[in-house]
């Protein structure tokens, strides 16, 4: 991580978010929809862990607004959830960095549950209470995927010297 | 475990700690946005701007599907095309035959209505739109179509398919619009049972193919297989379009209402093309005629039912 060079690899961060957004709305068969990982929070957690000086609550807020616009939810719903996730990740990032992979998975599960809880809470206030028992599936699936996402992302980060 | 590590000097790794103030600011901003969006539905410009930003994402997501469609058309065999042509011709013939009856019935209906001094509008204009293949919020039933306010789409507009009512436009962005399906858990539509004229409400369920009719009394005359059509009473949907077919009717003496479910008439699950409906005469509260490609009228009533 070279601090003196101008910001490198902004486009990698942007591309990772674009990919996450595309995957968020990529059409899946109905049964697989609840197994879809929550890509944008995952990417946000990754960047907040390893690049906290570049990606933080502002990025999370903007990404959340884009998710809101894309998925037709109330403007600010995903933004709020992602801001909280980013903040919690930044708060924990020094510890989580040195955790073994399975502990990281547990932390990620916790962070994504926070994300899901905020969405659940807002939806509940709006009266969308159907299918609530299934809301815990996506965080679980995503947390299990964390080691692989971590691998792919860190390889990308090293390859393109994002820092 | 977390406490142990926190004593390490933070400067070693991060040059910018998570500012609590900044976080609070953005939390407050999100909440304000949500409240404002929900209470007034007046963030249209912001919605439109954001929708334009994410428009490329929707195009990317839809690309494989369109490409496949295109390839399918390109490499379709002569035989298949001839078959399809024959099939379409016979379908057209059948449709034309029923249209002949429709014309006669429409006239008769108009005559009778004239006798009764009733004014009800029939007819209207439709135009085809494609559903962009993108999955939105998994807990809501929303789709995005490729026509927007530039094409005259307005909020609250009815969307049909070949078999019945699909839903209504809940947001008309310049290039695309968001349609809330009638099966969305937050949607309700005024319907009547076609056979008896019993009026009731059909509300969305969590299932794309089912609607619930929760307000039918136990002694009501409803049978499985009854067609449920829109009654047009809410002023939102045009009257007389199929909404569903009663698939389950169970009396439960312990409850005030019977358990009634209807299978949606429209093919909400599989269709790729839908029809946008413009009423023949705009209802009093409603919008401009579609053709002038001006933007949405500012006075249009916000119709966001979902929040």
């Amino acid at each position: 991580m070279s601090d003196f060079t101008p910001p490198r690899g902004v486009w990698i961060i942007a591309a990772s978010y674009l990919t996450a957004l595309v995957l968020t709305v990529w059409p899946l068969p109905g049964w697989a929809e609840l197994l879809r990982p929550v890509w944008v929070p995952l990417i946000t957690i990754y960047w907040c862990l390893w690049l906290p000086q570049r990606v933080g609550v502002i990025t999370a807020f903007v990404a959340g607004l884009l998710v809101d616009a894309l998925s037709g939810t109330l403007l600010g719903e995903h933004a709020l959830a992602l801001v909280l996730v980013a903040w919690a990740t930044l708060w924990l990032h020094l510890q989580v960095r040195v955790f073994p992979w399975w502990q990281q998975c547990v932390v990620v599960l916790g962070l994504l549950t926070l994300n899901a809880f905020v969405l659940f809470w807002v939806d509940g206030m709006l009266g969308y209470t159907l299918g609530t028992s299934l809301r815990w599936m996506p965080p679980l699936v995503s947390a299990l995927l964390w080691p692989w996402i971590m691998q792919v992302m860190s390889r990308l980060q090293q390859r393109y010297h994002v820092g | 475990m977390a406490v142990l590590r926190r004593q390490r000097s933070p400067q070693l790794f991060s040059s910018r700690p998570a500012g609590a103030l900044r976080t609070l600011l953005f939390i407050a901003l999100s909440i304000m946005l949500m409240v404002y969006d929900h209470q007034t539905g007046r963030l249209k410009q912001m919605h439109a701007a954001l929708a334009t930003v994410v428009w490329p994402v929707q195009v990317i997501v839809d690309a494989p599907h369109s490409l496949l469609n295109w390839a399918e058309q390109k490499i379709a065999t002569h035989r298949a095309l001839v078959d399809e042509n024959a099939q379409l011709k016979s379908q057209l013939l059948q449709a034309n035959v029923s249209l002949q009856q429709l014309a006669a019935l429409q006239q008769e209906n108009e005559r009778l209505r004239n006798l009764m001094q009733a004014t009800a509008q029939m007819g209207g204009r439709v135009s085809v739109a494609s559903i962009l293949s993108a999955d939105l919020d998994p807990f809501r039933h929303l789709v995005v179509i490729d026509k927007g306010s530039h094409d005259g789409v307005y909020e609250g507009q009815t969307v049909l398919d070949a078999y019945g009512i699909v839903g209504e436009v809940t947001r008309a962005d310049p290039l695309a619009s968001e349609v809330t399906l009638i099966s969305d858990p937050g949607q309700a539509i005024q319907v009547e049972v076609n056979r008896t004229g019993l009026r009731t409400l059909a509300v969305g369920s969590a299932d794309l193919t089912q609607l619930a009719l929760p307000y039918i009394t136990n002694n009501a005359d409803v049978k499985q297989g009854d067609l449920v059509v829109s009654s047009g009473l809410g002023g939102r949907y045009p009257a007389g379009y199929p909404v569903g077919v009663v698939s389950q009717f169970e009396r439960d003496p312990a409850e005030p209402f019977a358990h009634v479910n209807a299978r949606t008439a429209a093919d909400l699950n599989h269709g790729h093309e839908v029809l946008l409906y413009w009423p023949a005469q705009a209802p009093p509260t409603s919008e401009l005629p579609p053709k002038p490609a001006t933007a949405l009228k500012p006075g249009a009533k916000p119709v966001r039912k979902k929040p």
Side-chain angles (χ1 to χ4, degrees):
Chain A
M1 272 191 230
S2 42
D3 278 351
F4 42 86
T5 51
R8 298 188 67 172
V10 177
W11 61 275
I12 277 287
I13 300 176
S16 70
Y17 270 105
L18 178 67
T19 314
L21 284 174
V22 167
L23 288 174
T24 304
V25 292
W26 194 266
L28 290 181
W31 58 268
E33 214 160 281
L34 287 165
L35 301 177
R36 182 202 300 278
V38 281
W39 295 105
V40 177
L42 276 172
I43 295 294
T44 305
I45 291 174
Y46 178 85
W47 289 123
C48 286
L49 272 185
W50 297 102
L51 215 54
Q53 69 274 28
R54 300 277 297 282
V55 176
V57 287
I58 300 175
T59 317
F61 181 75
V62 173
L65 281 186
L66 292 182
V67 175
D68 283 326
L70 199 57
S71 55
T73 43
L74 204 55
L75 219 54
E77 185 175 343
H78 283 91
L80 174 65
L82 275 179
V83 164
L84 285 172
V85 166
W87 170 73
T89 313
L90 291 175
W91 189 54
L92 294 168
H93 76 278
L94 290 181
Q95 295 101 64
V96 179
R97 273 182 186 182
V98 294
F99 279 176
W101 66 270
W102 62 271
Q103 278 186 0
Q104 285 192 355
C105 281
V106 175
V107 174
V108 169
L109 179 62
L111 291 169
L112 295 178
T113 307
L114 171 72
N115 179 62
F117 179 76
V118 174
L119 299 180
F120 165 62
W121 178 62
V122 175
D123 277 356
M125 286 204 298
L126 300 177
Y128 283 91
T129 49
L130 287 169
T132 44
S133 52
L134 298 166
R135 281 188 175 257
W136 316 108
M137 286 294 287
L140 204 63
V141 174
S142 317
L144 289 175
L145 275 179
W146 174 253
W148 286 277
I149 288 164
M150 176 85 186
Q151 282 290 316
V152 172
M153 291 297 293
S154 61
R155 224 164 266 178
L156 270 180
Q157 194 185 351
Q158 275 159 25
R159 172 100 194 268
Y160 294 99
H161 309 287
V162 185
Chain B
M1 49 184 180
V3 188
L4 260 179
R5 298 273 178 191
R6 209 171 315 133
Q7 275 125 20
R8 288 171 62 163
S9 111
Q11 297 98 301
L12 192 58
F13 289 112
S14 93
S15 51
R16 193 191 72 187
L21 198 66
R22 194 203 314 243
T23 310
L24 276 178
L25 184 78
F26 278 101
I27 289 173
L29 197 59
S30 320
I31 294 176
M32 262 159 51
L33 270 181
M34 274 193 285
V35 171
Y36 197 64
D37 193 16
H38 178 46
Q39 300 286 349
T40 66
R42 230 182 268 153
L43 289 171
K44 267 192 204 117
Q45 259 120 23
M46 194 165 169
H47 260 305
L50 282 169
T52 315
V53 173
V54 295
W55 169 244
V57 175
Q58 284 166 345
V59 171
I60 292 173
V61 169
D62 192 53
H65 191 101
S66 333
L67 208 68
L68 216 67
N69 261 359
W70 177 82
E72 213 169 77
Q73 276 172 9
K74 284 281 159 202
I75 60 175
T77 60
H78 179 68
R79 181 81 240 152
L81 284 178
V82 169
D83 280 354
E84 197 185 338
N85 200 337
Q87 203 188 345
L88 288 176
K89 264 185 187 151
S90 84
Q91 269 179 16
L92 182 66
L93 201 64
Q94 281 175 15
N96 274 340
V97 170
S98 37
L99 269 182
Q100 290 169 14
Q101 285 175 326
L102 179 77
L105 286 174
Q106 222 165 6
Q107 264 181 1
E108 184 182 334
N109 190 305
E110 227 161 82
R111 227 174 28 244
L112 292 173
R113 277 186 191 281
N114 276 339
L115 284 178
M116 292 168 64
Q117 309 274 317
T119 53
Q121 296 307 324
M122 288 278 229
R125 199 172 69 77
V126 294
S127 130
V128 180
S130 286
I131 295 179
L132 295 180
S133 52
D135 283 347
L136 306 186
D137 194 301
F139 299 100
R140 285 173 214 176
H141 299 168
L142 310 171
V143 294
V144 176
I145 56 172
D146 67 345
K147 294 261 163 66
S149 51
H150 277 308
D151 307 289
V153 178
Y154 58 91
E155 284 186 12
Q157 184 171 21
T158 302
V159 180
L160 311 163
D161 77 354
Y163 310 104
I165 291 187
V166 168
E168 68 169 339
V169 176
T170 41
R171 217 176 65 219
D173 294 323
L175 296 172
S177 320
E178 177 193 288
V179 176
T180 304
L181 306 181
I182 47 171
S183 62
D184 182 83
Q187 281 285 48
I189 169 170
Q190 306 250 18
V191 295
E192 62 186 29
V193 177
N194 200 32
R195 185 169 56 85
T196 59
L198 174 73
R199 285 191 296 270
T200 183
L201 276 179
V203 300
S205 62
D207 185 348
L208 261 179
T209 60
Q210 294 288 326
L211 297 172
L213 280 70
Y215 308 113
I216 290 186
T217 49
N218 275 318
N219 58 3
D221 178 17
V222 175
K223 284 192 299 206
Q224 263 191 27
D226 275 352
L227 180 68
V228 178
V229 300
S230 55
S231 67
L233 278 181
R236 180 72 70 211
Y237 292 98
Y241 282 89
V243 171
V245 176
V246 175
S247 57
Q248 185 201 15
F249 181 70
E250 272 171 30
R251 291 193 170 87
D252 184 355
E255 304 257 343
F257 296 114
H259 273 288
V260 189
N261 279 322
R263 204 175 55 249
T264 51
D267 196 3
L268 300 182
N269 228 346
H270 302 292
H272 189 63
E273 247 140 37
V274 292
L275 301 165
L276 287 159
Y277 175 90
W278 282 274
Q281 271 180 355
T285 55
S286 196
E287 283 66 29
L288 299 162
K291 257 301 116 184
T294 45
L296 194 67
K297 221 174 69 171
K301 261 171 64 185
V303 276
R304 291 172 55 82
K305 256 189 211 156
K306 4 168 233 182

